[in-house]
Amino acid sequence: SRNAAITAIAALDVADPRARPGLIAAMVEPNLSNSANLAWVQLGPGDREVVRAFIEAVRRNAEEFRPGLSYRGPYGEILVAAPEFFLQLTPANRDCAPDFLQLARDFRDKPAVEGIAYDALGRIDALSEDMVPLLLARLRDPDSDVWASTALRRLGPRAATAVPQLIGMIEARPPVKAYDAVQILEAIGPPAADPAIPALEALSKTAPPNSSLCATLLHLKPDSQTGIAAAEALAAGKGTDVVEGRGLLLQAGYRPQLQLAALAAIMNGPDRRSAVLAINRILLYGNEPDLRREALARAFALQSDPAADDWSKSVSLQGFKSLGPSDRSFEHQLTVLTEQLWTARHM
């Protein structure tokens, strides 16, 4: 069958120039099996021909969708491959922006397909300010709010025209998508998002302690007493909330020695998840050389620990971006780690 043939060819060598044209043409047709669809991931978005063929496959599968069918039907099977395929998109694929824009326009009545298009536009850095009104409308729709929020956050300061509506969403009673609005405001950042400070402080006084709300408020106004009080409430809580609160207070420069001492104790404590977060916060916001060296040593150890899960490795790895001249003693370990990661990826 077509599905079996595609799966077999993909398993052998999708890069074979003799196989590629026929393989791509066969994969554009709708109703591929999940295993055959995964061949798209192996092909990858390395050239425009493959990306445009994938868009056409999404289009043909979407056109087969009929009201009453679930997204797991003919319409949904191509979407099984979409997330992993799109993870490989980069700004190098920007020449495909017109194709993704057309896909979004053609399927405004199908939020999942429109979302695929906007996710791709974000990954290739082709989102623009003139998309803000449409994205705000989609943000209020439960079928499209997740991808619309992601797109607005990716726009960052370029979404500044959204600030008045985002404030309105926070001030509404009851609030409308308030925490999506909060995260978008943090991405927009100062000074464009500064008019939202009073609304954020008012929400912080009435809502349960929330790390996203607190982070946004302290990002826009580091000396906000309301924000500091909210972070202290998080720090007085349990589990990872304690690390979130201490990290936010450290980032805001509030009693840094106290926060570092508390984070050091958590890093050496029994709760592994909290310990990993503490490593991350110490590396990102701490400035004590000895403590940073200890946190770096633990972060390096996590990368080669077979018992460490992907989340732990990812969170600790984020701290490496804080490496500076004071951490040159770890240059050798970083080189070794880079070689290990490269080897693992290419095995």
Side-chain angles (χ1 to χ4, degrees):
S1 71
R2 180 168 60 104
N3 284 317
I6 289 171
T7 304
I9 293 171
L12 291 172
D13 188 2
V14 297
D16 188 326
R18 297 169 298 176
R20 279 172 67 92
L23 178 64
I24 292 171
M27 290 173 64
V28 167
E29 296 301 320
N31 301 322
L32 290 185
S33 67
N34 288 352
S35 59
N37 262 318
L38 291 175
W40 285 111
V41 181
Q42 292 169 270
L43 282 167
D47 59 63
R48 190 173 186 183
E49 177 194 9
V50 175
V51 178
R52 295 186 76 176
F54 187 87
I55 293 170
E56 181 60 23
V58 172
R59 180 183 300 280
R60 292 192 189 186
N61 276 264
E63 287 168 349
E64 294 248 331
F65 175 72
R66 299 186 302 277
L69 289 179
S70 74
Y71 286 147
R72 300 297 296 179
Y75 169 43
E77 287 173 351
I78 187 68
L79 306 187
V80 172
E84 292 209 20
F85 183 85
F86 284 157
L87 281 174
Q88 302 175 52
L89 289 170
T90 70
N93 299 109
R94 209 162 190 267
D95 59 346
C96 296
D99 305 291
F100 285 117
L101 280 169
Q102 193 58 52
L103 184 70
R105 293 189 189 105
D106 291 345
F107 290 96
R108 288 186 175 179
D109 61 333
K110 293 184 172 69
V113 182
E114 189 182 30
I116 283 177
Y118 275 98
D119 180 48
L121 288 166
R123 293 181 185 280
I124 65 177
D125 194 24
L127 295 170
S128 59
E129 293 89 336
D130 60 359
M131 298 175 182
V132 168
L134 182 143
L135 292 172
L136 283 170
R138 296 295 187 264
L139 184 62
R140 296 173 180 270
D141 185 337
D143 289 329
S144 55
D145 56 346
V146 174
W147 61 256
S149 178
T150 300
L152 285 163
R153 292 198 306 274
R154 281 175 169 156
L155 275 169
R158 292 176 293 164
T161 56
V163 169
Q165 287 199 52
L166 295 172
I167 293 171
M169 293 167 70
I170 293 171
E171 292 179 336
R173 292 294 176 265
V176 179
K177 304 286 184 186
Y179 288 101
D180 284 302
V182 166
Q183 292 175 346
I184 296 164
L185 285 165
E186 181 176 21
I188 292 171
D194 287 353
I197 291 172
L200 292 168
E201 290 188 325
L203 180 62
S204 185
K205 289 176 181 177
T206 58
N210 178 276
S211 58
S212 292
L213 173 57
C214 188
T216 301
L217 185 50
L218 290 175
H219 180 206
L220 298 178
K221 188 180 179 183
D223 61 349
S224 167
Q225 293 305 303
T226 303
I228 289 170
E232 288 184 313
L234 281 170
K238 297 180 180 180
T240 56
D241 280 352
V242 178
V243 186
E244 295 283 6
R246 295 290 185 187
L248 288 166
L249 291 167
L250 178 61
Q251 186 179 7
Y254 180 76
R255 303 181 70 185
Q257 296 307 116
L258 176 65
Q259 314 314 330
L260 283 171
L263 288 170
I266 295 169
M267 179 176 68
N268 292 300
D271 185 334
R272 180 157 185 144
R273 195 172 183 87
S274 295
V276 171
L277 277 176
I279 290 170
N280 173 279
R281 299 309 189 264
I282 290 169
L283 291 177
L284 290 179
Y285 310 124
N287 58 6
E288 287 192 356
D290 289 344
L291 185 56
R292 281 177 56 78
R293 276 193 284 272
E294 182 182 354
L296 276 167
R298 289 175 177 268
F300 279 115
L302 273 171
Q303 300 308 311
S304 55
D305 182 356
D309 58 27
D310 289 343
W311 178 86
S312 298
K313 292 182 179 182
S314 174
V315 171
S316 61
L317 194 62
Q318 291 169 13
F320 291 160
K321 68 183 181 182
S322 67
L323 287 169
S326 63
D327 301 304
R328 290 296 296 275
S329 59
F330 284 91
E331 189 171 351
H332 173 68
Q333 289 98 317
L334 188 59
T335 301
V336 171
L337 176 61
T338 302
E339 290 174 351
Q340 289 174 347
L341 292 173
W342 188 93
T343 301
R345 185 171 182 179
H346 292 81
M347 284 182 64

